[in-house]
Amino acid sequence: MKKLKFILSGGGTGGHIYPAVAIANELKSRFPDAEFLFVGAKDKMEMQKVPQAGYKIEGLWIAGLQRKMTFQNAMFPFKLIDSLWKSRKIIKKFKPDVVIGTGGFASGPLLQMANMLNIPTVIQEQNSFPGITNKLLSKKANTICVAYENLERFFPKEKMILTGNPVRQDLIDIESKRAEAIQYFNLDANKKTVLVLGGSLGARRVNQLIEKELSNFLSQNVQVIWQCGKLYFEDYKKYNSNDVQVLAFIDRMDLVYAAVDIVISRAGASSVSELCIVGKPVIFIPSPNVAEDHQTKNAQSIVDKKGAIMLKESELDSQFSLVFEALLKDLGKQEQLSKNIKQLALPNATKEIVDEIVKLI
C-alpha cells in the first residue's frame, strides 16, 4: 500500500488548531507511515503550536477581513491571490490523498484549491453557527463533520455527519481523579471550588467580574481557581491567596475539572464540547466580540436543553451575584444541570471524524 499523505489546516485560535492536531494524531495512530503537512496563516499562533505538537507547517500570507475599512482590508485581494497561488504549489508538490480544514483564515484558500484540483476535502465545523469560510467551502467539500444539530440552513444536508468536536481524551474519566486533583491544586476538600475559564489569552470582562466578586466568593466559603489568561496575569496575580489561585494557564485540565464544583466559562466551541463531557454545572458568559456572535449561539444550544445557565456581559452587573448564589445553594439544580449537559456529550468525535476521512482515501 502506498504511503498516505494528509494536509490539515486550521488556525487563528486554539479552537481551530487543537481539533486539527487531534485529527492528525488519530490518523497517525492508524497509519504510522503516513506523511502530514499543516498549512496556517503566517503570523498566527499555529506557526508555534503545530511544530510543538510535532508536525511540519507552512504559512500563507492571509488574514481575515476587518469589520471596518482598514489598510488590511485593502490588502485582502492581494493576500487572497497570493495564498491561492501558494496553496496550489503546496498541494501540487505534496500530493495529499485528503485535505482537512478545521476553520480559520488559511483553510479557505487551501481547501478552495484542493477542490479545484479534485482532491477530496473534509471540513470540521466546531460551532453552532458556522463562519463564512466554511459556509463557502461546504458547496464543494466531500464531507462536513459538525458538532451541533440543525445546521441544514448552512450546509448541504447530505454531506453532514454529526460527530462532535475533538476533545482531550484524558477528560473522559475524571471521577476517579478527584482525590489526586484536590492534592495537586492544594485545595480544602470541605469547601466548594469554583473554576473560572477565560480562554488561553484571557477575557477582560470576565476577569473584571471576578475581581469585583472575589470578596463575595470568599464570604460564602468558596475557593477559586481563576485562569485569567497570559495577557492579564500581571494585573491579577496580586489576588493569589490560600483560597484564590490565579493562573495564566492550566496545564492539567483533567485534574482541574475533577476538583471543581461549578465552572464559569466563555463559550468557545472547544470549551463547550469539553464541558459537556466533564458534566459540571456551568455558567456561560459568551464573548460578544466574536464573528457572528457564535459563542452566544453555542451556549444557547446547551441552555435550550436545560444543561447550563447563560449570562450575557450586559447582564453581569445586575444578575451575576444573584444567579451564582442561587446555584451555589441549590444542590438539586447543580445535579440537574450536570446530568443534562452530560447527555449532550459526544466523546468519540475524533475517531468518528477520522472514520469519515478514511472513507475518502
Side-chain angles (χ1 to χ4, degrees):
M1 188 178 167
K2 77 176 183 84
K3 187 187 273 191
L4 293 170
K5 295 183 172 190
F6 302 99
I7 296 183
L8 298 100
S9 179
T13 67
H16 293 313
I17 300 164
Y18 177 75
V21 170
I23 291 165
N25 290 344
E26 176 65 20
L27 280 165
K28 198 174 185 177
S29 73
R30 294 195 202 185
F31 307 107
D33 298 337
E35 275 186 60
F36 295 88
L37 177 64
F38 278 69
V39 174
K42 259 184 183 157
D43 53 350
K44 295 292 183 183
M45 64 195 275
E46 57 265 30
M47 300 311 288
Q48 282 82 49
K49 296 284 181 196
V50 168
Q52 282 167 11
Y55 294 101
K56 282 191 298 199
I57 186 164
E58 295 210 28
L60 303 179
W61 185 47
I62 188 76
L65 283 164
Q66 309 296 311
R67 294 193 180 182
K68 48 189 185 295
M69 273 312 292
T70 61
F71 176 67
Q72 288 287 346
N73 278 357
M75 293 298 291
F76 182 77
F78 303 102
K79 289 184 175 185
L80 183 60
I81 290 163
D82 183 79
S83 296
L84 285 164
W85 183 245
K86 188 165 182 196
S87 294
R88 183 186 168 88
K89 274 172 65 176
I90 289 169
I91 291 168
K92 287 275 198 187
K93 187 178 168 196
F94 190 75
K95 299 187 173 68
D97 293 279
V98 184
V99 175
I100 301 130
T102 59
F105 311 133
S107 64
L110 182 82
L111 269 79
Q112 178 68 19
M113 204 37 88
N115 289 332
M116 286 171 75
L117 295 167
N118 290 323
I119 290 161
T121 59
V122 174
I123 295 170
Q124 195 263 321
E125 174 55 63
Q126 293 107 36
N127 287 297
S128 58
F129 196 94
I132 191 159
T133 306
N134 279 353
K135 278 192 262 187
L136 292 170
L137 293 170
S138 67
K139 294 173 181 57
K140 295 276 175 64
N142 295 67
T143 306
I144 305 159
C145 296
V146 297
Y148 293 91
E149 293 167 340
N150 309 320
L151 295 189
E152 292 82 5
R153 64 190 194 280
F154 306 113
F155 296 141
K157 191 176 179 176
E158 66 283 359
K159 294 181 181 182
M160 281 196 305
I161 311 281
L162 180 68
T163 57
N165 283 323
V167 294
R168 297 167 239 247
Q169 292 304 293
D170 60 2
L171 299 183
I172 291 182
D173 172 34
I174 58 164
E175 303 300 319
S176 61
K177 299 181 185 177
R178 188 164 168 91
E180 183 194 348
I182 299 265
Q183 197 178 352
Y184 183 87
F185 286 101
N186 200 16
L187 296 165
D188 180 340
N190 300 312
K191 288 184 178 178
K192 289 276 188 189
T193 307
V194 171
L195 170 64
V196 182
L197 296 173
S200 51
L201 298 174
R204 193 177 75 203
R205 186 67 187 88
V206 174
N207 287 334
Q208 288 170 342
L209 170 78
I210 301 306
E211 180 178 40
K212 181 173 148 264
E213 293 290 337
L214 267 185
S215 56
N216 191 15
F217 288 150
L218 298 179
S219 71
Q220 295 177 76
N221 210 19
V222 164
Q223 48 200 350
V224 182
I225 298 177
W226 177 7
Q227 186 249 309
C228 65
K230 62 180 184 186
L231 295 181
Y232 300 97
F233 182 67
E234 291 305 315
D235 299 340
Y236 294 108
K237 65 181 183 186
K238 63 186 176 201
Y239 293 109
N240 262 313
S241 68
N242 283 344
D243 286 322
V244 181
Q245 297 181 45
V246 183
L247 305 166
F249 185 77
I250 297 171
D251 52 2
R252 288 294 305 268
M253 289 306 293
D254 59 329
L255 293 185
V256 84
Y257 283 135
V260 303
D261 301 285
I262 292 173
V263 182
I264 297 164
S265 176
R266 283 301 203 199
S270 298
S271 302
V272 173
S273 296
E274 286 189 0
L275 289 163
C276 288
I277 283 173
V278 166
K280 298 281 166 122
V282 185
I283 299 173
F284 284 120
I285 304 172
S287 169
N289 314 313
V290 291
E292 322 268 13
D293 197 20
H294 66 243
Q295 285 205 7
T296 300
K297 296 175 176 104
N298 292 346
Q300 191 63 52
S301 68
I302 307 295
V303 172
D304 288 345
K305 305 248 170 81
K306 300 187 168 47
I309 294 166
M310 173 169 69
L311 285 173
K312 296 189 174 172
E313 284 194 355
S314 56
E315 300 170 326
L316 292 177
D317 289 334
S318 60
Q319 300 284 312
F320 180 82
S321 303
L322 299 167
V323 168
F324 176 77
E325 209 165 309
L327 179 61
L328 184 67
K329 288 178 176 160
D330 190 342
L331 295 180
K333 173 87 167 167
Q334 290 178 33
E335 221 165 277
Q336 198 59 49
L337 289 175
S338 286
K339 193 173 131 220
N340 292 348
I341 196 169
K342 229 177 162 123
Q343 286 172 351
L344 305 175
L346 296 164
N348 302 315
T350 315
K351 290 183 173 64
E352 288 177 23
I353 292 163
V354 169
D355 289 344
E356 294 303 320
I357 293 166
V358 170
K359 287 177 191 174
L360 299 173
I361 295 168

